[in-house]
Amino acid sequence: MRVTIFTAIYVLLFHNLIAQENYPSPVSTVNEPIAAGIFEPTWQSLQQYETPEWFSNAKFGIWAHWGPQCQPEQGDWYGRLMYEEGSDQYNWHVENYGHPSKAGFKEVINDWKAENWDPEKLVALYKRIGAQYFFAMANHHDNLDLWDSKYQEWNSVRVGPKKDIVTGWAEAAKKYDLPFGISVHSSHAWTWFETAQRSDRNGAMAGVPYDGKLTKSDGKGTWWEGLDPRELYAQNHDFSVGSEDDITALWGQWDWENGASIPDQEYSENFYNRTMDLINKYSPDLLYFDDTALPLYPVSDAGLKIAAHYYNSNMAMHNGKLEAVLFGKVLTEQQKECMVWDVERGAPDQKQDLPWQTCTCIGDWHYNRAVYEQDRYKSAATVIHTLVDIVSKNGNLLLNIPIRGDGTIDEKEVKILEGIGAWMDVNKESIFDTRPWKIYGEGPATDSVNPLDNGKFNEGKLKFSEKDIRFNQKDNTLYATVLGVPSSDIKLKSLGKSRKGNKVKNIEMLGSNEKLSWTQEGNALVIEKPKAAPNEIAVVFKISMK
């Protein structure tokens, strides 16, 4: 009964907050003021946003989604799942670090040294293979700030590698003239780390609390003496509804409507101050929030205030022109006018009017040795097919290359990147600086319905073949990309002579000097199967229109 009544009251409060944009306790801006400018912290004001041209031209970015959870090489969400009794991560942690009542996630942080990290070498490689912007992670749900954070003592300069990770990435991006993006994920630590409050239910350690219940006074004589685990784990609160009994209850919950424990004022203000400090230190060209809409919305106005500050401060740096790109996930149509829509591991099945972005990874978000050993990385061909499909629908691709704890990528990842770069060297004109055509494509995949799952996660459900064509354009040039090697003549129905405006002047194949034979019939443009394909991934036909 307690859960039912709580949930009913909470849902009523939740919808009332959305309707009124009236927050229980607005965060203070005394320590970190909002920059003056045309943007105010309301959705209505943020609708003035227009995506800068440089982002629409860029199309392809690389992401270093790297932090202490990469050190164990056990994949995603290690910091949460290591506290799930009996899970693979729990068992691995007990064997390699000890029981989580004594050796918790803080010990993973202490073990992370990033001893072989060379940001300039990595960013130079990403630039060489075609990346037009670069992203670094500033913090994850594990709540460790990866810069010399003014408001979080648990940061990578004080513990772990004792290095300013964000500064290293920022300087490398600047050296290679790549727009610099930062991703922020820490708003979820409040609920995500609730597993650290638990204890074993079975065995010799049953009932012994995990280290999420430790306090600063418990650190006397330890390596973390003087630090407060509650500032890392953010667990000085009761469990969310259901999570004490069901450890998976909140896995998919990135909003506050389903009974999640609502962050208190101190937590919300700390997140606001930390993120404002980050923006003011680095002035990022792009800013990604791993949140539905904006961080802590609608139970706090922190996200709206951060967004207004980010836009205003960017305009001040660019003589009144807004060049910033801010991303949010699972957006309403109104919210898509306020920022750029990011789709995690997926893509809409129709062309979009506004620019958007897919974020995905060739493996797990955090480095996973099993993915490496079992050869489960995405191939260069899969990445290129994904990129071409996204670009045809007015999108960009942000691709994460998982990094090992020591700061390096493995040889299989390097080979994939080299395959991407080889294709880009020949075909990049069909990607960069282009815009969508009147339709995004033809072929079997365009005839299939592939809806997003709550705004994300439909990746891999469609299989592309050489029968699938994707279009985009630049001035009077149309690019038609075959997602594979043509096995027969290519018939483009949308370029039939009978359709208005379809007058073809010339056709060539990028990466080849072969003279093509083609005819423009009433119901299709027919390109005779080439004698040889210039690559095995995707063949691009450059069509000059009259």
Side-chain angles (χ1 to χ4, degrees):
M1 179 64 72
R2 177 181 64 87
V3 171
T4 303
I5 294 173
F6 176 88
T7 302
I9 294 172
Y10 182 78
V11 169
L12 181 63
L13 170 64
F14 178 88
H15 288 293
N16 185 55
L17 288 170
I18 292 176
Q20 298 182 25
E21 286 194 355
N22 181 25
Y23 307 96
S25 298
V27 295
S28 171
T29 61
V30 171
N31 291 334
E32 298 291 342
I34 300 173
I38 66 171
F39 288 96
E40 298 178 356
T42 67
W43 288 113
Q44 183 178 4
S45 180
L46 295 180
Q47 282 184 284
Q48 299 173 85
Y49 179 73
E50 292 184 7
T51 309
E53 283 292 301
W54 76 261
F55 179 75
S56 294
N57 289 335
K59 306 302 183 189
F60 180 50
I62 294 287
W63 192 2
H65 190 283
W66 181 53
Q69 289 179 85
C70 296
Q71 178 65 22
E73 299 187 354
Q74 298 298 304
D76 295 343
W77 282 26
Y78 182 88
R80 178 177 172 90
L81 299 179
M82 57 157 281
Y83 294 105
E84 181 181 354
E85 183 182 8
S87 73
D88 291 343
Q89 291 88 343
Y90 171 94
N91 293 335
W92 190 93
H93 188 87
V94 169
E95 181 178 348
N96 289 274
Y97 285 98
H99 190 265
S101 61
K102 298 292 185 182
F105 185 73
K106 66 186 186 304
E107 273 65 46
V108 175
I109 293 173
N110 189 47
D111 192 36
W112 179 45
K113 302 305 179 188
E115 63 272 19
N116 296 315
W117 176 51
D118 186 342
E120 287 192 10
K121 180 180 178 181
L122 289 172
V123 173
L125 172 61
Y126 302 151
K127 174 74 177 279
R128 179 167 61 80
I129 65 99
Q132 302 296 293
Y133 53 100
F134 172 76
F135 255 92
M137 187 168 70
N139 48 40
H140 197 252
H141 315 323
D142 59 35
N143 218 24
L144 180 74
D145 283 353
L146 304 181
W147 76 97
D148 190 11
S149 180
K150 188 192 305 184
Y151 297 99
Q152 171 61 303
E153 289 187 324
W154 290 88
N155 65 71
S156 64
V157 176
R158 179 164 181 170
V159 296
K162 308 286 182 70
K163 297 176 182 179
D164 192 324
I165 302 298
V166 177
T167 293
W169 287 126
E171 291 175 349
K174 183 177 181 180
K175 178 175 180 177
Y176 291 101
D177 196 28
L178 286 177
F180 182 55
I182 296 177
S183 67
V184 176
H185 310 243
S186 62
S187 67
H188 299 305
W190 181 270
T191 53
W192 190 82
F193 254 146
E194 285 183 350
T195 53
Q197 292 192 53
R198 295 172 63 87
S199 60
D200 286 359
R201 296 188 174 187
N202 305 290
M205 301 296 286
V208 180
Y210 298 152
D211 71 330
K213 302 296 285 186
L214 294 176
T215 65
K216 189 174 183 176
S217 62
D218 295 315
K220 188 174 182 179
T222 70
W223 69 266
W224 50 275
E225 184 173 358
L227 293 171
D228 189 346
R230 290 177 300 184
E231 291 184 12
L232 175 67
Y233 298 121
Q235 290 310 300
N236 192 21
H237 67 269
D238 292 334
F239 283 109
S240 297
V241 173
S243 68
E244 187 173 5
D245 300 316
D246 179 6
I247 201 165
T248 66
L250 297 175
W251 270 33
Q253 182 180 11
W254 296 135
D255 57 54
W256 308 101
E257 192 172 357
N258 297 318
S261 172
I262 300 176
D264 63 21
Q265 189 70 11
E266 181 182 3
Y267 181 86
S268 299
E269 293 199 355
N270 178 258
F271 175 82
Y272 169 82
N273 287 331
R274 286 161 68 185
T275 308
M276 293 285 279
D277 174 47
L278 181 72
I279 293 168
N280 293 336
K281 270 188 168 72
Y282 298 102
S283 301
D285 302 292
L286 312 98
L287 182 62
Y288 168 100
F289 288 123
D290 190 18
D291 295 271
T292 297
L294 285 168
L296 304 179
Y297 181 80
V299 298
S300 169
D301 64 351
L304 286 166
K305 285 178 174 174
I306 292 167
H309 173 74
Y310 179 52
Y311 287 160
N312 288 338
S313 60
N314 182 270
M315 290 183 71
M317 289 179 56
H318 294 95
N319 298 316
K321 185 177 181 181
L322 183 55
E323 296 286 3
V325 185
L326 174 65
F327 300 91
K329 296 161 63 175
V330 196
L331 304 182
T332 66
E333 292 306 309
Q334 178 199 29
Q335 291 165 351
K336 288 177 184 178
E337 297 178 10
C338 303
M339 65 189 83
V340 173
W341 178 36
D342 181 88
V343 180
E344 182 178 352
R345 288 193 184 271
D349 55 10
Q350 298 297 325
K351 183 177 68 172
Q352 301 296 299
D353 293 333
L354 294 172
W356 59 281
Q357 176 181 267
T358 284
C359 64
T360 191
C361 182
I362 63 169
D364 278 359
W365 289 114
H366 291 98
Y367 194 89
N368 189 336
R369 177 156 290 274
V371 174
Y372 166 80
E373 292 175 343
Q374 298 166 14
D375 290 323
R376 291 194 279 117
Y377 287 134
K378 290 183 175 72
S379 66
T382 296
V383 172
I384 293 299
H385 293 169
T386 301
L387 173 66
V388 172
D389 178 62
I390 288 167
V391 169
S392 74
K393 297 171 182 173
N394 204 24
N396 287 27
L397 171 62
L398 178 61
L399 181 70
N400 177 50
I401 306 298
I403 301 177
R404 293 179 285 209
D406 71 350
T408 63
I409 62 175
D410 64 56
E411 78 282 358
K412 294 179 182 180
E413 294 176 295
V414 172
K415 185 176 180 180
I416 293 165
L417 288 168
E418 289 174 344
I420 294 169
W423 188 90
M424 285 287 202
D425 286 344
V426 175
N427 299 286
K428 60 187 175 185
E429 71 170 85
S430 69
I431 299 294
F432 306 134
D433 303 325
T434 62
R435 294 294 183 272
W437 194 46
K438 57 187 179 183
I439 64 169
Y440 76 88
E442 297 182 16
T446 62
D447 298 328
S448 301
V449 177
N450 187 29
L452 292 166
D453 180 8
N454 192 29
K456 49 192 173 181
F457 301 136
N458 67 348
E459 179 179 270
K461 294 181 181 179
L462 290 180
K463 301 300 181 183
F464 297 121
S465 73
E466 77 280 357
K467 298 298 182 183
D468 288 302
I469 315 293
R470 292 294 178 267
F471 299 110
N472 51 342
Q473 63 182 337
K474 186 188 302 179
D475 299 324
N476 291 325
T477 299
L478 176 67
Y479 296 97
T481 303
V482 178
L483 301 183
V485 176
S487 57
S488 59
D489 292 350
I490 299 96
K491 296 183 178 180
L492 305 177
K493 297 178 182 179
S494 52
L495 283 168
K497 190 183 294 185
S498 62
R499 300 201 180 189
K500 186 178 180 181
N502 286 346
K503 293 185 178 180
V504 176
K505 181 179 179 181
N506 185 52
I507 304 176
E508 57 184 286
M509 188 166 50
L510 296 186
S512 173
N513 293 323
E514 179 181 339
K515 184 174 177 60
L516 301 173
S517 297
W518 56 274
T519 56
Q520 192 173 20
E521 300 173 357
N523 61 353
L525 170 65
V526 181
I527 305 172
E528 188 175 305
K529 179 181 175 294
K531 295 181 177 64
N535 70 81
E536 298 294 317
I537 291 179
V539 176
V540 182
F541 293 98
K542 182 178 181 179
I543 304 171
S544 299
M545 308 294 289
K546 293 181 181 178

